[in-house]
Amino acid sequence: MSTTIIISSVNYDGESANILFKPDNANVTVNLGEVTLPYTFDPTLLTPQRSVYGTYTILVNDGSCSNILNVPRPTPTVTPTPTVTPTVSVTPSITPSPTVTINPCFITPTPTNTQTPTITPTPTKTPTNTPTPTRTPTPSPQTCLRRQNNWWISNSFLNYTSITDYFIYTYVPGITTISNGGFNMFGLGNTILLNLPIPRVYGSFGSDYFVTKANVWPQLTLYNLGPNLSPHSISEVGNPSTINGNDPTYGPYTVTRQVTLSDGTYSCGDIHGNWYRYSNIGINPSFLSGTTPCPSIEYVWFTVESPTWGTDISSFNDDRNSSSNPNILDSTISVVGKNGYLGMILLSKYSPSSPSTIIPDNQITQFLQNSICQLFSSVNCADFNV
């Protein structure tokens, strides 16, 4: 049986892509990270080991939608063996045949038949060597989104460290669950959706959005609203693990989770906006009140508006989930607007001396005024014709 699979594309070989793998026999999703196509995937290197069968979601960098690759598990064919003389037959190994679901982003253009003209021989002349000037390629200018993403990678963390007891969730490649209350926020732990229910892998770019890579902290999603009034939404979906323990005096216990919502505004010069926070934190039983259970999980949605851009946000919808099971993260902020941005940042706080704490509202406001305002003033680029 084949233990590896080669993932390739007629149109995109040689380019970088992010790949998510969902095995057909387990309810997990493995983030294979950013790779170069064609890519040879060996699932036996995962822990635990897995086979190649399942669904692969492939998003080429600078692509706007995902390509779905299904690798079905083959059904073995039973060959009857004569009973008179036992014979040993060698069964060839079965190599999976990937079945690609047609996606308009990956459709290969139909080739056009080109007629080859008949060449009439002409007298040969001795050529004169004429030096050809060498052209120096001019690099294409980066889009505003690319420049904004690059600024965030280089500068945002310094602003984040100003938050008291800030915490950094650790990115562990190949691990797809949240353990210890959220120490790994990637893979199944933190899925981002934009408008349609299609997960956006970390490090992906579209014509009007970007999602920073998983090892960039704080993690940022930024959505350009475009030049016309239109609906845009950013959703987060996750499932923090249950924390159980066994106290020698009180016996078995479970750490419960609590949700907190708050709103605010920020402004600096011509830049301003509203922010909307969803915080999720583990709360210990009373007999463990002096022990810190886990860091907070805090999503902050925000708008970026400016009168110089002609920003117009005509409506807003708040669908932050505070009433159902706090062990399930599932919240959305939506706007209808133009000439502005909708963003979402993942933040966290951890303080052994003050258990079960979240980031104060004034520190969220200060962080946005520092990071978002510096981003747009430093990059000085906002193109809404995307």
Side-chain angles (χ1 to χ4, degrees):
M1 180 179 296
S2 176
T3 60
T4 63
I5 184 172
I6 298 176
I7 302 173
S8 62
S9 168
V10 174
N11 295 332
Y12 295 100
D13 277 359
E15 297 190 24
S16 298
N18 283 271
I19 301 177
L20 298 176
F21 170 54
K22 186 181 185 307
D24 66 348
N25 57 358
N27 188 27
V28 299
T29 300
V30 180
N31 185 353
L32 304 184
E34 184 173 306
V35 302
T36 300
L37 300 178
Y39 170 65
T40 300
F41 172 48
D42 185 354
T44 63
L45 300 179
L46 299 176
T47 303
Q49 293 187 2
R50 303 194 182 278
S51 67
V52 297
Y53 306 112
T55 301
Y56 298 79
T57 302
I58 306 161
L59 181 64
V60 176
N61 285 352
D62 293 328
S64 58
C65 50
S66 302
N67 187 42
I68 307 301
L69 177 69
N70 292 311
V71 181
R73 190 177 296 271
T75 303
T77 303
V78 179
T79 304
T81 305
T83 57
V84 179
T85 304
T87 59
V88 178
S89 59
V90 179
T91 302
S93 62
I94 301 172
T95 301
S97 299
T99 302
V100 180
T101 302
I102 296 300
N103 186 306
C105 298
F106 288 80
I107 294 177
T108 304
T110 303
T112 303
N113 294 327
T114 304
Q115 294 182 348
T116 304
T118 302
I119 300 175
T120 303
T122 57
T124 304
K125 294 183 179 181
T126 303
T128 302
N129 292 330
T130 303
T132 303
T134 302
R135 293 185 178 181
T136 303
T138 302
S140 300
Q142 289 186 327
T143 65
C144 290
L145 285 173
R146 284 285 183 187
R147 293 167 59 185
Q148 291 158 1
N149 176 74
N150 292 341
W151 187 96
W152 190 264
I153 292 172
S154 301
N155 299 279
S156 64
F157 184 73
L158 182 61
N159 291 317
Y160 184 55
T161 58
S162 64
I163 293 178
T164 304
D165 299 322
Y166 70 90
F167 182 77
I168 305 173
Y169 281 102
T170 303
Y171 170 58
V172 183
I175 304 300
T176 59
T177 58
I178 297 181
S179 59
N180 296 330
F183 285 100
N184 172 29
M185 284 301 298
F186 304 97
L188 286 181
N190 179 30
T191 299
I192 297 172
L193 310 177
L194 301 181
N195 278 8
L196 299 176
I198 301 176
R200 304 296 178 178
V201 295
Y202 293 94
S204 62
F205 264 87
S207 61
D208 57 356
Y209 77 92
F210 69 79
V211 181
T212 56
K213 294 183 178 181
N215 58 354
V216 172
W217 192 263
Q219 189 274 320
L220 170 66
T221 300
L222 193 63
Y223 215 160
N224 187 320
L225 301 182
N228 302 307
L229 283 174
S230 55
H232 292 79
S233 66
I234 301 178
S235 306
E236 53 80 13
V237 180
N239 184 21
S241 61
T242 302
I243 307 172
N244 298 312
N246 193 354
D247 185 82
T249 302
Y250 296 92
Y253 66 89
T254 298
V255 173
T256 59
R257 303 197 70 86
Q258 175 180 294
V259 171
T260 300
L261 306 182
S262 64
D263 306 335
T265 61
Y266 73 98
S267 63
C268 43
D270 287 338
I271 300 293
H272 68 276
N274 300 308
W275 60 259
Y276 315 90
R277 174 246 288 277
Y278 170 97
S279 295
N280 189 303
I281 186 73
I283 304 296
N284 272 332
S286 58
F287 58 85
L288 290 176
S289 60
T291 304
T292 301
C294 58
S296 63
I297 301 171
E298 309 202 36
Y299 297 96
V300 179
W301 289 261
F302 60 93
T303 60
V304 187
E305 308 171 44
S306 173
T308 61
W309 302 338
T311 304
D312 181 6
I313 295 181
S314 62
S315 65
F316 159 78
N317 183 55
D318 183 353
D319 192 17
R320 287 172 291 175
N321 192 346
S322 62
S323 59
S324 62
N325 184 359
N327 286 318
I328 298 176
L329 308 176
D330 181 10
S331 293
T332 301
I333 292 293
S334 306
V335 300
V336 175
K338 67 176 183 178
N339 297 334
Y341 294 84
L342 176 65
M344 184 181 75
I345 305 177
L346 173 60
L347 307 175
S348 182
K349 182 181 177 71
Y350 180 77
S351 174
S353 61
S354 303
S356 301
T357 54
I358 62 175
I359 300 173
D361 286 358
N362 67 308
Q363 291 189 21
I364 292 179
T365 297
Q366 190 64 46
F367 171 73
L368 291 174
Q369 288 181 168
N370 290 340
S371 61
I372 300 303
C373 293
Q374 286 181 25
L375 185 159
F376 282 93
S377 63
S378 299
V379 173
N380 193 24
C381 180
D383 181 10
F384 301 105
N385 293 310
V386 294

